[in-house]
Amino acid sequence: VPCPSRGRSGGMDLAYVCEWEKKPKSNHCPSIPLVCAWSCRNLIAFTTDLRNEEEKDLTHMVHIIDTEHPWDVYSVNSGHTEVITCLEWDQSGSRLLSADADGHIKCWSMTDHLANSWENTVGSVVEGDPVVALSWLHNGVKLALHVEKSGASNFGEKFSRVKFSPSLTLFGGKPMEGWIAVTISGLVTVSLLKPNGQVLTATESLCRLRCRVALADVAFTGGGNIVVATSDGSSTSPVQFYKVCVSVVNEKCKIDTEILPSLFMRCTTDPARKDKYPAITHLKFLARDMSEQVLLCASNQNNSIVECWSLRKEGLPVNNIFQQISPVVGDKQPMILKWRILSATNDLDRVSAVALPKLPISLTNTDLKVANDTKFFPGLGLALAFHDGSVHIVHRLSLQMMAVFYGSSSQRPVDEPTLKRPRTAGPLVHFKAMQLSWTSLALAGVDSHGKLSMLRISPSMGHVLDMNMSLRHLLFLLEYCMVTGYDWWDILLHVQPSMVQNLVEKLHEEYMRQNAALQQVLSTRIVAMKASLCKLSSSTIARVCDYHAKLFLIAISCTLKSLLRPHFLNTPDKSPGDRLTEICSKITDVDIDKVMINLKTEEFVLEMTTLQSLQQLIQWVGDFVLYLLASLPNQGSPVRPGHSFLRDGASLGMFRELMVVIRIWGLLKPSCLPVYTATSDTQDSMSLLFRLLTKLWLCCREENHITEPDDALIDECCLLPSQLLIPNIDWLPINDGIISKLQNKQLVRLQFGKAPGLVGHTVSSQFDAFVRAPGQPKIDHLRRLHLGAYPTEECKSCTRCGCVTMLKSPNKVTAVKQWEQRWIKNCLCGGLWRKMPLSYS
């Protein structure tokens, strides 16, 4: 065992563990080759075998959890008859492949876009031939993170797109979806998913002389080819590599294979270790899109050795005789591809699992140097788990130790000499399968009891950095998630309450430096990101509500504007929505009717049923404006939700536009107007609110020139509660997830299927004033419908912001369908939906 002083033990710590409840009759025994997979949406899939004591049979289960609610596990009987050997998520994180030891491959996808409801739709089979390696075909999207450019202003420089061809393209260059698998008898099978749902499958032998394949892995080249590495499990045999080309000919899938250079592990040619490690136990390409680097591990009963190899182009020396005959040959050396060893470890304890980084960090010398100087290590380390329960993170190129974690069974003082230590009786608990998250800031391991452990990995591997540098590291990864659309839960694991304010400000600064088109693409994602950060500190908790309200406002504004129709079909100028924005910002009149006169009312004509069906959304706009104006006088308390809107010119401008639209619609159908409870019958509430809103908007419409509202406006707002009944705004509940309970770095113990008691969370206590207590009527947060205290409709809630809405739409109107399409796949904040138990009240 390497001396622990080299690996920093401060680099990793346990965030939470989740274990199975012990039932008397059945138990989850981990399947022998346990597998797990981690998706870019932070869903983790892993397998166990459910053993039933009475019937003595095994059910092969697949479990899917969301890292924020690990106890809410979705377990499905996979229907595989043999043990599951592979699990693979696709690049979008919404489909999962599983393969078993009987040659069956199944593709799982979400039912109704619910993260806790999955169904097997399609699949393929190589009868009776166990699958040893499995991968989705590459879709041609590859980014590179340049650590050297982390200070650059443009996202395009920090995260550049790498030229990379998809494995197979449809007509017009669209990547074709499908998967490739390698079986134990040396067959390669490819299945292509046609857009019409049909599956084309072809199976071909990897080479003429088929031999047993005990281990294999798949990688892709930039030119669109596939590389397969195989080993028969013995370290005295070579590790073979094959190039696989897939094509579609006459509606049939065709596979061509070609042999590439092979290699022998160095430990077998080294006289000192010649017969020491008889078996190759792990064979992995360092990344799916890096076919020129491979990691090998050879083991005996008690020890292992790990080697990293790289494929290089090398010149072939030419004999002098040829140079005299033909001088051209002498100038140009013929090039050949050859595997060269990059690095190797010393003798290690026996390796039980390997996890590779998924962060596509650029590995140029300057990037590596900057990473080393700034101590930014995500994506540079791979994890090795050992049979004594410990985990090491080693550098992906040099295999030098970077951080170490001692499991419960391998706990020992650092000063004790690590010489011969007696083997404890009985097998130790160790990780059978491990996966790194997509930013490499977290590591999930499933151990020999089927228990799931979540480890935090510090971006600096435990090096103490100044606050500014730590923030820069987290900011860089947050921006990466913002650009790729990946979930950023694993970054939040490292955010301390004192960092929140700074991170939100810096994230906003970086966002404002991008061009207008990119800003528009990322506009909602950055709001969702700020909301999730603000949840982590008690001083910013009220802003979470504001950010979610802002997401809701943006969505309503887009939907209502998109319903406006140009009066003449071939009008060359702007769309009605754009013209509305332009006129509202140009005409700063406080009288709603004067603004309205400038608009072409015929563009606003909609069917009566449509207008009526939008009433709930219109009511929210009306209520929110009234609530904001009424809270202006006590603006000294930033703890109240809604506070940040009072200085947000863009949002107030949106409310102002919507008030104008609603006013025009109210002339067509008065019953769609927001309902206010006023003290006098004659009062025109809409125009009163519009007047005050305009005055407030004029104070802060220019971001760099914000003035304080004058006393007259504040006095008028003070009178509002005596003129109108101020509504209760239904804020989103502060989420019941795990992230806020992990901040004090205490290990949280959880049980699958059992929600933890939500006590001891300091942040939410001051917030209970704004959230409905249990037993109070529930609300559908997106349709703004009241569901009653004990809802009878099935609901779904967002895994990130906790927003609740009904699963089935009560409406048939097209306009409402258009509104519901906005959040059918994901919540407005980008989180995945999960189905709620009916008794959630």
Side-chain angles (χ1 to χ4, degrees):
V1 177
C3 139
S5 62
R6 278 175 52 216
R8 310 181 61 86
S9 47
M12 298 165 79
D13 65 302
L14 260 179
Y16 63 74
V17 293
C18 202
E19 40 202 331
W20 296 100
E21 192 182 356
K22 291 183 174 45
K23 289 193 181 142
K25 284 292 179 213
S26 66
N27 58 17
H28 286 276
C29 57
S31 38
I32 306 307
L34 190 77
V35 279
C36 83
W38 191 322
S39 85
C40 62
R41 310 293 301 270
N42 282 324
L43 294 177
I44 295 177
F46 64 102
T47 61
T48 57
D49 293 345
L50 191 64
R51 179 189 289 138
N52 197 326
E53 294 290 318
E54 289 162 353
E55 288 133 38
K56 290 275 183 289
D57 63 344
L58 287 180
T59 315
H60 304 288
M61 307 292 289
V62 173
H63 309 284
I64 296 175
I65 62 154
D66 159 42
T67 51
E68 173 73 329
H69 304 88
W71 57 88
D72 184 21
V73 60
Y74 178 74
S75 303
V76 56
N77 174 354
S78 66
H80 284 294
T81 49
E82 290 293 323
V83 72
I84 299 170
T85 55
C86 306
L87 283 178
E88 282 290 325
W89 288 102
D90 71 346
Q91 266 118 336
S92 67
S94 51
R95 282 177 310 181
L96 178 71
L97 286 177
S98 62
D100 67 10
D102 194 29
H104 286 258
I105 300 172
K106 298 186 174 197
C107 174
W108 302 84
S109 51
M110 291 188 235
T111 20
D112 299 333
H113 308 290
L114 295 171
N116 54 357
S117 176
W118 294 77
E119 58 185 354
N120 165 225
T121 43
V122 291
S124 64
V125 61
V126 185
E127 203 58 63
D129 199 352
V131 175
V132 288
L134 176 67
S135 170
W136 287 91
L137 295 178
H138 204 287
N139 63 2
V141 177
K142 185 182 175 185
L143 283 180
L145 264 85
H146 301 282
V147 186
E148 179 202 358
K149 303 253 174 69
S150 64
S153 59
N154 184 347
F155 285 166
E157 284 176 44
K158 297 184 197 186
F159 318 109
S160 65
R161 182 88 185 253
V162 180
K163 199 167 164 14
F164 207 88
S165 301
S167 312
L168 196 63
T169 50
L170 290 158
F171 183 70
K174 190 173 185 251
M176 188 146 187
E177 296 186 315
W179 56 82
I180 175 170
V182 181
T183 70
I184 207 161
S185 73
L187 292 176
V188 57
T189 174
V190 174
S191 295
L192 304 175
L193 295 175
K194 292 187 62 182
N196 61 7
Q198 192 187 350
V199 182
L200 303 178
T201 300
T203 305
E204 193 61 61
S205 136
L206 269 173
C207 63
R208 289 217 185 93
L209 277 172
R210 261 170 76 185
C211 53
R212 176 172 185 269
V213 175
L215 303 165
D217 199 19
V218 180
F220 302 94
T221 68
N225 292 322
I226 303 167
V227 180
V228 173
T230 67
S231 156
D232 64 2
S234 158
S235 61
T236 54
S237 317
V239 177
Q240 303 276 10
F241 294 86
Y242 304 94
K243 184 163 99 177
V244 178
C245 299
V246 183
S247 51
V248 176
V249 182
N250 302 335
E251 288 295 297
K252 282 201 172 60
C253 177
K254 181 170 176 288
I255 302 174
D256 294 301
T257 60
E258 177 185 324
I259 296 182
L260 293 173
S262 56
L263 66 90
F264 281 97
M265 282 191 72
R266 193 177 72 181
C267 62
T268 58
T269 54
D270 172 7
R273 297 197 173 98
K274 195 156 179 237
D275 303 317
K276 193 172 173 188
Y277 298 108
I280 295 184
T281 48
H282 296 89
L283 159 64
K284 297 262 183 208
F285 286 106
L286 265 163
R288 279 267 182 255
D289 44 25
M290 276 186 74
S291 54
E292 61 285 342
Q293 263 198 349
V294 64
L295 187 82
L296 297 160
C297 170
S299 311
N300 58 27
Q301 285 315 132
N302 303 326
N303 299 91
S304 291
I305 190 163
V306 176
E307 296 178 3
C308 181
W309 289 71
S310 124
L311 190 62
R312 305 266 173 89
K313 270 197 170 125
E314 289 186 8
L316 206 60
V318 178
N319 195 301
N320 287 343
I321 299 175
F322 296 109
Q323 295 189 3
Q324 287 142 17
I325 303 170
S326 155
V328 183
V329 179
D331 296 344
K332 268 208 190 115
Q333 270 190 326
M335 302 299 273
I336 58 161
L337 286 171
K338 200 164 182 186
W339 285 98
R340 287 272 179 221
I341 187 157
L342 269 184
S343 50
T345 60
N346 297 330
D347 300 348
L348 306 165
D349 203 83
R350 179 150 178 207
V351 172
S352 62
V354 178
L356 297 173
K358 300 183 184 72
L359 194 71
I361 199 143
S362 159
L363 295 173
T364 62
N365 290 340
T366 43
D367 281 314
L368 287 171
K369 185 181 180 312
V370 173
N372 203 29
D373 294 346
T374 56
K375 302 283 177 272
F376 178 83
F377 298 123
L380 288 176
L382 55 96
L384 302 172
F386 298 98
H387 273 257
D388 67 353
S390 64
V391 177
H392 293 178
I393 292 195
V394 297
H395 195 287
R396 62 190 285 175
L397 300 173
S398 65
L399 298 180
Q400 293 276 324
M401 177 107 102
M402 295 164 81
V404 59
F405 167 77
Y406 297 114
S408 49
S409 46
S410 62
Q411 213 91 50
R412 59 169 185 277
V414 175
D415 49 8
E416 187 188 304
T418 56
L419 297 168
K420 290 278 182 215
R421 62 172 197 280
R423 292 257 153 216
T424 41
L428 295 167
V429 178
H430 57 264
F431 291 141
K432 290 293 262 300
M434 269 192 325
Q435 283 268 313
L436 281 163
S437 75
W438 283 63
T439 59
S440 288
L441 292 187
L443 174 76
V446 185
D447 68 19
S448 30
H449 293 166
K451 178 173 83 179
L452 182 104
S453 305
M454 179 65 68
L455 291 117
R456 249 191 221 99
I457 305 175
S458 120
S460 64
M461 294 294 168
H463 288 273
V464 180
L465 300 176
D466 62 351
M467 189 58 147
N468 204 7
M469 194 53 94
S470 310
L471 284 174
R472 251 184 65 185
H473 288 178
L474 295 179
L475 188 68
F476 189 48
L477 292 168
L478 280 169
E479 290 167 5
Y480 169 69
C481 287
M482 188 150 66
V483 170
T484 52
Y486 296 160
D487 187 72
W488 56 93
W489 178 88
D490 36 335
I491 305 174
L492 299 180
L493 277 178
H494 298 267
V495 176
Q496 292 303 313
S498 56
M499 299 177 175
V500 170
Q501 188 72 35
N502 274 340
L503 267 177
V504 171
E505 282 167 18
K506 287 204 163 77
L507 197 63
H508 184 75
E509 269 169 42
E510 288 297 320
Y511 168 77
M512 294 312 288
R513 290 162 75 177
Q514 309 311 311
N515 62 37
L518 186 58
Q519 282 193 26
Q520 195 173 354
V521 171
L522 304 176
S523 58
T524 51
R525 205 172 287 153
I526 185 169
V527 177
M529 218 167 234
K530 289 177 184 171
S532 62
L533 287 165
C534 288
K535 227 176 249 176
L536 301 177
S537 156
S538 50
S539 59
T540 52
I541 194 87
R543 279 162 55 190
V544 179
C545 293
D546 293 12
Y547 286 128
H548 287 312
K550 183 159 183 178
L551 282 173
F552 195 64
L553 167 65
I554 293 171
I556 284 189
S557 168
C558 290
T559 305
L560 296 189
K561 280 188 194 169
S562 68
L563 293 173
L564 309 181
R565 294 282 169 266
H567 185 48
F568 304 110
L569 279 181
N570 52 2
T571 41
D573 55 346
K574 300 187 168 83
S575 71
D578 293 342
R579 193 157 53 250
L580 168 75
T581 308
E582 190 183 39
I583 286 172
C584 285
S585 63
K586 204 162 65 188
I587 297 177
T588 54
D589 209 299
V590 292
D591 183 351
I592 191 163
D593 296 323
K594 287 199 180 139
V595 179
M596 207 169 79
I597 287 170
N598 293 284
L599 291 163
K600 300 181 181 166
T601 18
E602 52 271 24
E603 290 177 347
F604 292 76
V605 177
L606 293 182
E607 290 166 19
M608 294 303 158
T609 47
T610 305
L611 289 178
Q612 191 56 54
S613 67
L614 295 169
Q615 204 276 328
Q616 278 85 10
L617 300 182
I618 290 173
Q619 182 71 45
W620 179 83
V621 174
D623 283 352
F624 204 87
V625 169
L626 174 53
Y627 170 84
L628 281 184
L629 291 168
S631 66
L632 182 64
N634 58 6
Q635 58 180 329
S637 106
V639 177
R640 282 179 71 94
H643 174 78
S644 65
F645 275 99
L646 303 175
R647 292 273 175 285
D648 180 355
S651 299
L652 295 175
M654 275 189 203
F655 276 122
R656 197 166 164 266
E657 288 165 28
L658 292 177
M659 293 286 274
V660 175
V661 175
I662 292 168
R663 177 73 161 196
I664 298 176
W665 283 348
L667 298 175
L668 296 171
K669 187 165 179 70
S671 66
C672 80
L673 285 172
V675 179
Y676 293 111
T677 313
T679 43
S680 105
D681 297 344
T682 53
Q683 174 179 297
D684 181 353
S685 309
M686 283 278 297
S687 62
L688 166 71
L689 291 175
F690 185 83
R691 192 178 81 233
L692 299 178
L693 178 65
T694 303
K695 284 183 180 171
L696 180 59
W697 167 70
L698 289 172
C699 294
C700 57
R701 59 189 289 211
E702 284 155 27
E703 206 173 309
N704 38 18
H705 180 69
I706 292 178
T707 54
E708 285 299 310
D710 58 6
D711 292 347
L713 174 59
I714 291 180
D715 291 347
E716 282 196 78
C717 289
C718 284
L719 291 174
L720 275 176
S722 60
Q723 296 166 303
L724 294 164
L725 183 70
I726 309 299
N728 266 337
I729 298 290
D730 284 284
W731 302 103
L732 283 190
I734 289 301
N735 199 352
D736 57 346
I738 190 84
I739 198 90
S740 47
K741 292 175 210 50
L742 300 174
Q743 284 190 310
N744 53 8
K745 297 274 172 110
Q746 294 293 314
L747 170 65
V748 178
R749 292 186 178 283
L750 303 163
Q751 206 173 45
F752 287 119
K754 231 175 161 172
L758 299 172
V759 286
H761 180 21
T762 46
V763 174
S764 58
S765 54
Q766 50 166 316
F767 212 80
D768 292 340
F770 311 117
V771 180
R772 298 190 167 214
Q776 275 199 323
K778 299 284 182 296
I779 186 162
D780 179 326
H781 292 114
L782 295 180
R783 295 190 181 89
R784 308 311 302 178
L785 296 171
H786 293 275
L787 303 174
Y790 298 99
T792 51
E793 285 293 313
E794 275 199 297
C795 289
K796 58 185 182 182
S797 81
C798 168
T799 51
R800 293 294 172 260
C801 68
C803 160
V804 174
T805 184
M806 284 183 285
L807 260 178
K808 293 191 181 61
S809 166
N811 289 313
K812 296 285 177 285
V813 188
T814 335
V816 179
K817 284 221 176 90
Q818 195 176 335
W819 166 239
E820 289 173 359
Q821 282 299 320
R822 285 192 168 270
W823 34 265
I824 193 119
K825 281 188 179 170
N826 306 319
C827 173
L828 294 176
C829 75
L832 287 166
W833 292 113
R834 58 182 184 143
K835 195 167 166 181
M836 299 178 75
L838 252 180
S839 60
Y840 87 92
S841 51

